[in-house]
């Protein structure tokens, strides 16, 4: 454990109060050329503004200046883990995104169908003509039926979007210390999968046997007649939030990826229907059982990714209407922020810091009237690292002892 | 020495000018529910405000977001030492707090009287009914008379507050690599004191013999019939400020703990009477002898700890009245700040950043009209780490060469 987390772990103590980390995914933005405003600047959010006026506002930097984070990394930061110290492998992220509940003996990898010229041993199309989700699903079914285990290692093959799928190998001797077979460019031979260190010897043999078995099944299929595998990874060894922060923590999220992330850091994942209203019902009904809740709203990010400025604004406004209901639940500390920015203008995640509002009774008087980038950047909190949000929440809940005498 | 200090050490050069680090302990606060203002916001401090208008203002973060520092750690930061790199042990802090001038052969520990059931070997009260300072003083005298050395190791036993006291062992072979005997909970047996590494072999033998000797003396006393020892520590190896910053430095403080801290980082400690006026007389009379002065005011912190909002305000206002006298002394650079915040509302140190005003002729035009949290957070300096105050003071005194070609 890095020293900073080790220190927090020693200082963290129990208290009878409630904390809420409310993540509105991708909430941050940049000005739209038509409105000359960011999504938050444009949005009519009287309840969030009122919360912000009674909070400490500022900006969080998900990783470091200029770095655009993926969702896994951005969330780890928000949960207090240094994003340069902890990493979740691509295969694991893809698997939890499909709703798989991974165990310690699972090795996950991202896979996709490709087209190979078997005579010349050359990958002619790394994406098999970007075949449809439907086609991929059918082929995955076929492979699953033919290949359920390799030399005592259980194999699961799960279709994803387009030509992509996920393979999960389960056996206690598996290691992620193996190379990938994707040549990264068309018209090159597939690379050999080999152990990177001796730990990977057994796994490389299993994966190569799996690959051979796949080829036997789909050799005569077109265009998908080959399989590329990368991002071999196991569940990372991350100390649990409950242990570090001395809390009982729960997650309420509707997308599998975020539930999976919460599980990886040791939160209980509470089942919920898909709407904000559903999520809040769960929050209310389970309030007594936990100290800390992570509440996640996904659609703001999705609309940002789709370039839908107004739809993203409307979703933020919908979130706003639920703020009074949340405040009535009596949380002592609420952090409302995003894991990263997803400006509709960019149609993707971005590197920009994200507005945060930290509701606490120990707030200095605030200068923020409207919760948005332009005002929060001059907020009382200043610009802080996302990984400092959790320590600050705990401090404001008087859950951290003094450090040093 | 960490790289950042090594660099400063190489760049630091002599100049014929004067620097003052004026630490008003625990000066920062949070709004009081009655006044809706922090101590600094409420205070009438025209002279500090005028200083601030001619300074660069901002906030310092003692350790990191959410972390409430102890005084030792907070001062090390202010003196330019990374608080994650350097640590002063609990025993050492307690000893210097009692005014002991520790040497390199001294091993200090915190001690307290406890009640043990000798028949069952169970600590029944770790604090011996929180016996009075007077009782503790008497018992310490008794122990001191009976035990002055153990196997060639000199022993000093010094009473503290309540049931607490300090033991200092002196011998060149002593090491802090030993465990503690405090079971941390009542109704457990005391733990064995044993070496943590082979370096501690001799020390563990000495400390166990000391413990045995104590038991023989106080065995039949009630309620204090046992001794718990923890926080074994020696003077940390901290490079001196004079060496790193190429300065002649002096400390003017009235409380033993702060004098001890100054000595640990190599400052000369100048004797002074208890009032601010006394401290300033010393400052004025010794001005020619040193480049750098650390001036410490304690009572602001004490009033904060006691929850005395108005008394803390009045002490800040008293400090304010001495500012003209200080400015007349002609310092080239003055940093006025606190080591940490001690909000009267919290009755304790807190995690909040602390306002700082850095008086220098190289100041940008300033937007701070009143020296307080709300204005300083948007000050020209921004929010900086406390450990960066010293390098900034030196830079503004033109005492740091260019780094790199």
């Amino acid at each position: 454990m890095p020293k900073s987390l080790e220190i927090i772990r020693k200082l963290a103590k129990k208290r009878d109060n409630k904390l809420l980390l409310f993540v509105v995914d991708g909430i941050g933005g940049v000005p739209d050329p038509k409105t000359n405003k960011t999504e938050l600047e444009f949005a009519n959010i009287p309840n969030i503004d009122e919360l912000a006026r009674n909070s400490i506002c500022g900006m969080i930097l998900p990783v470091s200046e200029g770095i655009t984070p993926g969702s896994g990394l951005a969330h780890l930061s928000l949960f207090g883990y240094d994003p340069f110290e902890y990493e979740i492998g691509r295969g694991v992220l893809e698997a939890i995104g499909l709703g798989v509940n991974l165990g310690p003996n699972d090795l996950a990898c991202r896979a996709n169908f490709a087209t190979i010229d078997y005579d010349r041993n050359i990958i002619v199309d790394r994406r098999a003509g970007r075949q449809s989700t439907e086609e991929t699903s059918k082929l995955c079914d076929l492979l699953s039926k033919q290949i359920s285990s390799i030399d005592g290692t259980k194999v699961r093959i799960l279709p994803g979007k387009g030509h992509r799928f996920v393979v999960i190998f389960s056996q206690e001797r598996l290691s992620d210390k193996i190379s990938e077979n994707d040549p990264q460019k068309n018209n090159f031979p597939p690379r050999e999968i080999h152990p990177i260190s001796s730990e990977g010897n057994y796994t490389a043999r299993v994966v190569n046997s799996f690959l051979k078995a796949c080829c036997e099944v789909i050799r005569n299929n077109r265009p998908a007649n080959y399989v590329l595998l990368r991002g071999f990874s196991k569940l990372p060894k991350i100390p649990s939030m409950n242990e570090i922060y001395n809390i009982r923590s729960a997650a309420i999220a509707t997308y599998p990826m975020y539930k999976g992330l919460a599980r990886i850091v040791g939160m209980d994942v509470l089942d919920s229907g898909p709407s904000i209203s559903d999520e809040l019902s769960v929050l209310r009904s389970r309030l007594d059982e936990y100290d800390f809740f992570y509440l996640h709203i996904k659609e703001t990010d999705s609309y940002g990714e789709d370039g839908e400025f107004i739809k993203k604004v409307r979703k933020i406004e919908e979130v706003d209407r639920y703020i009074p209901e949340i405040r009535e639940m009596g949380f002592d500390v609420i952090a409302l922020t995003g894991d990263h920015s997803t400006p509709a203008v960019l149609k993707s995640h971005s590197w920009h810091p994200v507005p945060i509002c930290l509701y606490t009774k120990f707030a200095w008087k605030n200068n923020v009237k409207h919760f948005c980038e332009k005002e929060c950047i001059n907020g009382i909190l200043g610009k802080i690292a996302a990984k400092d949000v959790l320590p600050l929440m705990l401090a404001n809940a008087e859950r951290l002892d003094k450090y040093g005498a």
Side-chain angles (χ1 to χ4, degrees), chain A:
Chain A
M1 204 184 296
K3 188 159 186 200
S4 54
L5 276 192
E6 189 58 58
I7 288 166
I8 299 280
R9 193 181 65 80
K10 283 184 186 156
L11 303 178
K13 59 184 173 188
K14 287 234 165 284
R15 281 262 184 182
D16 185 22
N17 55 23
K18 302 283 176 195
L19 298 87
L20 173 65
L21 174 62
F22 189 5
V23 178
V24 184
D25 205 308
I27 195 174
V30 296
D32 176 77
K34 284 192 227 67
T35 63
N36 208 21
K37 287 184 172 176
T38 69
E39 293 87 330
L40 274 171
E41 281 182 88
F42 194 83
N44 177 27
I45 45 175
N47 298 306
I48 294 176
D49 290 344
E50 205 265 329
L51 181 71
R53 282 193 292 272
N54 292 288
S55 298
I56 301 173
C57 293
M59 301 292 271
I60 59 166
L61 196 59
V63 179
S64 66
E65 296 287 357
I67 303 298
T68 298
S71 298
L73 208 63
H75 268 82
L76 275 192
S77 276
L78 263 184
F79 296 154
Y81 301 88
D82 185 334
F84 291 118
E85 293 274 352
Y86 292 98
E87 223 172 327
I88 302 178
R90 298 256 165 179
V92 167
L93 274 177
E94 205 77 10
I96 65 177
L98 295 178
V100 180
N101 201 346
L102 292 171
N105 294 335
D106 292 335
L107 176 75
C109 70
R110 303 172 79 184
N112 62 265
F113 290 110
T115 311
I116 195 167
D117 176 339
Y118 276 104
D119 295 335
R120 295 188 299 145
N121 190 38
I122 291 288
I123 301 285
V124 290
D125 183 349
R126 290 174 57 243
R127 300 190 178 90
R130 289 188 179 276
Q131 77 172 14
S132 70
T133 304
E134 209 186 348
E135 275 301 314
T136 294
S137 185
K138 273 187 210 162
L139 272 188
C140 284
D141 276 0
L142 180 67
L143 287 173
S144 293
K145 269 172 204 148
Q146 305 280 333
I147 312 166
S148 64
S149 79
I150 299 279
D151 183 26
T153 292
K154 194 181 147 204
V155 176
R156 279 175 289 172
I157 301 165
L158 307 162
K161 278 191 186 161
H163 56 295
R164 298 181 198 88
F165 61 104
V166 168
V167 185
I168 299 161
F169 302 91
S170 306
Q171 222 264 34
E172 60 187 8
R173 286 157 69 197
L174 296 174
S175 155
D176 56 4
K177 302 291 183 214
I178 61 168
S179 66
E180 310 179 336
N181 72 336
D182 187 343
Q184 301 291 341
K185 280 183 187 170
N186 287 337
N187 300 316
F188 281 81
R191 291 184 185 163
E192 193 202 353
I193 291 178
H194 58 79
I196 296 168
S197 76
S198 59
E199 280 175 67
N201 288 347
Y202 171 76
T203 311
R205 278 203 307 279
V206 168
V207 173
N208 279 313
S209 299
F210 168 74
L211 202 55
K212 207 173 148 199
C214 287
C215 291
E216 279 164 19
V217 176
I218 62 172
R219 190 180 176 105
N220 297 318
N221 190 63
R222 288 290 178 282
N225 65 351
Y226 195 72
V227 165
L228 294 176
L229 304 169
R230 61 211 153 94
F232 293 96
S233 45
K234 301 186 74 172
L235 272 186
K237 284 187 184 63
I238 297 184
S240 93
M241 285 180 65
N242 294 357
E243 189 212 333
I244 300 169
Y245 305 129
N246 204 350
I247 51 175
R248 297 164 301 164
S249 62
I252 304 173
T254 57
Y255 276 54
M257 153 86 104
Y258 306 92
K259 294 184 191 178
L261 285 168
R263 252 185 231 110
I264 286 177
V265 296
M267 286 189 232
D268 283 358
V269 175
L270 309 183
D271 284 333
S272 159
S275 71
I276 302 178
S277 176
D278 294 335
E279 291 190 301
L280 293 195
S281 299
V282 176
L283 180 58
R284 184 189 304 277
S285 69
R286 308 296 293 273
L287 200 55
D288 288 346
E289 296 171 48
Y290 298 93
D291 308 298
F292 175 94
F293 290 88
Y294 153 59
L295 177 63
H296 182 255
I297 303 289
K298 172 67 179 168
E299 292 80 0
T300 32
D301 174 60
S302 310
Y303 287 133
E305 293 264 10
D306 295 344
E308 296 279 6
F309 183 89
I310 285 295
K311 284 187 181 165
K312 185 175 160 194
V313 167
R314 296 293 171 246
K315 182 50 76 170
I316 294 170
E317 291 173 340
E318 185 188 338
V319 169
D320 181 79
R321 291 193 290 276
Y322 287 97
I323 296 295
E325 191 177 331
I326 289 171
R327 291 191 68 179
E328 272 166 27
M329 295 184 205
F331 286 97
D332 300 88
V333 174
I334 301 173
L336 168 64
T337 187
D339 50 345
H340 52 73
S341 299
T342 311
V345 170
L346 280 163
K347 294 188 180 180
S348 69
H349 293 195
S350 80
W351 60 91
H352 298 88
V354 188
I356 180 170
C357 130
L358 184 72
Y359 173 78
T360 157
K361 65 178 165 181
F362 302 115
W364 290 319
K365 246 190 249 171
N366 200 344
N367 49 354
V368 168
K369 308 238 177 302
H370 177 53
F371 184 72
C372 64
E373 294 80 2
K374 177 174 80 166
E375 296 200 28
C376 286
I377 196 77
N378 290 316
I380 285 289
L381 187 59
K383 182 161 64 178
I384 65 169
K387 73 181 172 62
D388 288 335
V389 169
L390 246 293
L392 264 176
M393 290 179 75
L394 294 172
N396 278 282
E398 297 181 273
R399 281 169 173 266
L400 290 185
D401 269 334
K402 189 162 70 172
Y403 176 43

